Amino acid sequence: MKRAFTTIIRIILPTIVLLTACSVESNSQEVVDEFISQFDEMNLDEAKEFLKKEYENYQQLDDLLDGGSFFGNETPKEYAKEDESYSEFPTFAKPEDIEKEYKKFSANAYILQYYKYPKTTIKVRVDNIDEVSGNADYQANKIFFHDGSVDDKIQKFYSWGDLNTTKVIDSIQTTISYSYIEDYKQYEFTDEVNFDGGSIKVAKKQGNMAELIFTGKAKNYEKIITLNDEGKVLKLSLSSSGTKGVKETSKVYAEALKKLVNEANNFKTVDELKEAARKTYSKLPPINNEKSYTGFFRGNVSSFIVYMPTNTISKQIDFTLVNINPNIQKLIYAFDTNKKENCFLNQAGELVMYSTYKNLYQKNDLYYYTKTQNNEEEKPVYEIYFLDTDKEQLVKIPEIQSVRAVTNTCVSVEKDGKKALWNAERKAVTPYIYDRIEGIEGSEDIIRVFIDDECGLINTKGETVLPVTYDQISDYTNGRALVSVSVGRGERPVMFIDEAGEQAIPLTQYLRATEFSEGLAVVTDKNRKCGFIDVNGKIVLPLIYDRAEPFLHGITVAEYNKKCGLINRKGEFIVPAKAHNYGISGISGMYKRKYYLDRSIYNEYGEIIEEW
């Protein structure tokens, strides 16, 4: 719930945030113009719908604020000294580490496209790297579409946000502008602190609760910590920050918007609506620009330390964001954000038709289903539909009741307990002989199939690629999938296959192998020594290690002569092999990787960050 107030204002009420920039008695011309400009690319119906949404947003906030505290049942209380909980004093990211983060981020980022109308939504993603530090903004300089066209009109966007297009995107030439704080100055205070350009005042302090008011430059604080009477940092329980007077101001804005919504049917053009909105918003009061912070802590509050930035660095990186899974079907399932209905777009991004079924759900690009259930006790009834892109219609498939997506265009269909593959032409291309059919990450053409406990591969035509005689076939990484068979209690690697399912690297001389990571895989020979091979099977790092893990961020942990350290891609020990044991956290990429070597902890760059 940290900073819940700010989050709610930014997400639910973008207009309020816009108007907080103004601190005069009524809203400035510049601020009002910026709000009115949101209508520029709308038709009259869209503009009316936008006004209605704005009014609903203010109502939501009003209901939320009337519903009680952001803190639930939390009320101020006194802590016994032995019950207090403490944290460490904060540390801040080094500028050089932030630079490294952004360089790796821009080199590995891609986009996912979510199809909506009249604007598309994109999400910037990156695998095995955390969110980058600091504040960042994105700018689309050129958008390259799948139909070969290009849009070179500059658009600003967020890591999850809308672009003014509905077409299938191939890639975006992007500039990321980011800033980070190089230096801080800390201010410790009990009741109030004043400095050049701002002030912080304690409005309320009772037991474990404190409320602070920030004015001027103080609103740009980076971090606040709360101390007990011994100078120990108290752990935070809940906090919220936002702008004072939101509740009162939201009521005024809601009433003004309600009046506009009621008059909307009288407007004959968008310009008439814009002029009415301009007059209304020009008369509305600005929002109080004082910022408030309220926190509950796990101990009794005595004093505070606020960290204020003294030097902010701004930089830019130009790079390309690729859409890793563009929808290249003739018709694309989308959502009309104005009418709140599902629809289908063509490759030009034009709206072709709306779904005729209210509760239509998507399995993949071509197969859909509806679900009917009158009550919880009744068994749901499913009906399967195929999207005929040539005739531009949904066709019911009465002979099947359920499907499971395998690729973007193929599904697994069950009959009498066995499964078959149906293709993009609404045809079964295999007999009903498989116990399981599933896609392989990294391929749209190769499919895993299982009979009993054995595994094989087929393609989307139903043709056998590998017979069902293996025990495990991995997903693709770096264009290679690992094929293994069971031997005793373990598995022995057979080969790596390429994206066509052909043998790329025989592995009969090895006891074990890992999947590829950053172009290298760990292999273990019959002498139980480990080394690394590339995607062509060439030994890159010799088989001299007792143990080794896959690379991430260009380093990994390895054991040599029964001692553990960190190596780079050249096999050089950047952290000497002296530890008796090792461990790794964050191996999935959800968290930054840490290496534990005896009683020392190293970060993803091989730098020591803690000893215990």
Side-chain angles (χ1 to χ4, degrees), residues 161-323:
D162 294 337
L163 287 177
N164 190 28
T165 183
T166 53
K167 298 164 70 172
V168 178
I169 297 170
D170 271 351
S171 63
I172 305 173
Q173 281 187 2
T174 308
T175 297
I176 185 170
S177 302
Y178 66 97
S179 60
Y180 58 85
I181 299 166
E182 188 176 47
D183 294 307
Y184 303 84
K185 186 172 182 179
Q186 64 183 61
Y187 297 86
E188 184 168 359
F189 61 99
T190 305
D191 297 310
E192 186 173 5
V193 61
N194 295 282
F195 50 85
D196 183 28
S199 68
I200 307 172
K201 182 178 181 180
V202 179
K204 186 176 183 180
K205 184 170 62 175
Q206 180 180 350
N208 72 321
M209 188 274 273
E211 180 185 355
L212 307 177
I213 303 297
F214 300 76
T215 61
K217 292 182 179 179
K219 292 182 289 184
N220 299 321
Y221 70 89
E222 178 63 17
K223 191 172 184 65
I224 298 171
I225 60 172
T226 304
L227 310 177
N228 70 357
D229 57 6
E230 296 177 342
K232 294 181 179 179
V233 181
L234 294 172
K235 282 189 176 179
L236 177 67
S237 177
L238 294 170
S239 72
S240 171
S241 65
T243 304
K244 289 191 66 180
V246 170
K247 181 176 180 178
E248 294 75 14
T249 308
S250 69
K251 288 182 179 295
V252 176
Y253 277 68
E255 284 301 315
L257 276 168
K258 182 179 180 181
K259 186 173 182 295
L260 274 176
V261 170
N262 290 338
E263 295 174 352
N265 288 332
N266 298 327
F267 302 129
K268 304 300 182 184
T269 66
V270 175
D271 287 339
E272 288 183 15
L273 184 147
K274 288 168 68 174
E275 184 58 30
R278 184 184 300 280
K279 290 179 180 178
T280 298
Y281 269 81
S282 298
K283 296 176 183 178
L284 291 175
I287 295 173
N288 187 325
N289 65 353
E290 287 187 343
K291 187 173 186 178
S292 66
Y293 170 91
T294 305
F296 288 85
F297 304 87
R298 297 179 184 176
N300 300 313
V301 176
S302 178
S303 61
F304 310 88
I305 296 178
V306 62
Y307 294 83
M308 296 298 302
T310 57
N311 187 29
T312 301
I313 305 296
S314 299
K315 294 199 173 183
Q316 290 184 336
I317 297 177
D318 294 326
F319 62 107
T320 298
L321 286 168
V322 175
N323 187 359

Side-chain angles (χ1 to χ4, degrees), residues 299-510:
N300 300 313
V301 176
S302 178
S303 61
F304 310 88
I305 296 178
V306 62
Y307 294 83
M308 296 298 302
T310 57
N311 187 29
T312 301
I313 305 296
S314 299
K315 294 199 173 183
Q316 290 184 336
I317 297 177
D318 294 326
F319 62 107
T320 298
L321 286 168
V322 175
N323 187 359
I324 64 165
N325 192 21
N327 190 328
I328 55 176
Q329 303 303 310
K330 291 181 180 179
L331 293 182
I332 301 167
Y333 198 42
F335 182 72
D336 187 326
T337 55
N338 290 331
K339 292 191 174 182
K340 304 295 184 185
E341 292 184 32
N342 295 317
C343 60
F344 289 89
L345 311 177
N346 62 19
Q347 282 290 293
E350 300 165 336
L351 197 151
V352 175
M353 65 178 186
Y354 286 98
S355 167
T356 55
Y357 306 98
K358 185 177 181 180
N359 297 313
L360 184 70
Y361 304 96
Q362 187 176 29
K363 280 294 184 179
N364 62 15
D365 293 339
L366 296 178
Y367 288 86
Y368 297 77
Y369 72 96
T370 58
K371 176 183 175 182
T372 305
Q373 187 175 20
N374 295 324
N375 55 65
E376 293 183 359
E377 297 179 356
E378 185 179 87
K379 187 177 180 180
V381 176
Y382 296 92
E383 293 183 332
I384 310 301
Y385 295 85
F386 177 81
L387 178 62
D388 189 323
T389 57
D390 292 326
K391 296 182 179 179
E392 297 183 350
Q393 63 182 16
L394 287 163
V395 180
K396 185 177 178 181
I397 314 175
E399 63 266 34
I400 57 177
Q401 284 73 48
S402 67
V403 296
R404 181 178 181 272
V406 175
T407 70
N408 284 342
T409 58
C410 296
V411 292
S412 170
V413 176
E414 184 173 340
K415 182 178 180 181
D416 298 328
K418 293 294 182 179
K419 297 178 176 63
L421 182 72
W422 282 49
N423 68 3
E425 281 83 42
R426 198 185 16 154
K427 296 178 181 178
V429 292
T430 68
Y432 289 85
I433 58 173
Y434 299 110
D435 295 306
R436 192 160 88 248
I437 302 176
E438 61 185 29
I440 293 182
E441 186 174 339
S443 177
E444 273 292 308
D445 300 313
I446 304 297
I447 297 163
R448 271 187 296 247
V449 290
F450 297 83
I451 297 177
D452 295 329
D453 295 326
E454 292 186 315
C455 179
L457 297 178
I458 62 174
N459 60 24
T460 54
K461 296 179 181 179
E463 300 166 339
T464 298
V465 175
L466 284 180
V468 184
T469 56
Y470 303 97
D471 291 280
Q472 181 63 40
I473 302 174
S474 75
D475 290 330
Y476 280 93
T477 55
N478 301 134
R480 299 287 184 261
L482 178 60
V483 180
S484 308
V485 294
S486 294
V487 178
R489 295 183 178 179
E491 290 186 349
R492 172 167 287 183
V494 175
M495 59 182 164
F496 279 105
I497 57 174
D498 61 21
E499 292 173 338
E502 300 287 341
Q503 177 176 282
I505 307 170
L507 297 171
T508 52
Q509 72 272 38
Y510 299 115

Side-chain angles (χ1 to χ4, degrees), residues 565-582:
L566 299 180
I567 62 172
N568 60 21
R569 290 175 64 91
K570 296 179 181 179
E572 300 166 336
F573 275 96
I574 60 174
V575 174
K578 294 181 179 180
H580 294 86
N581 294 289
Y582 74 78

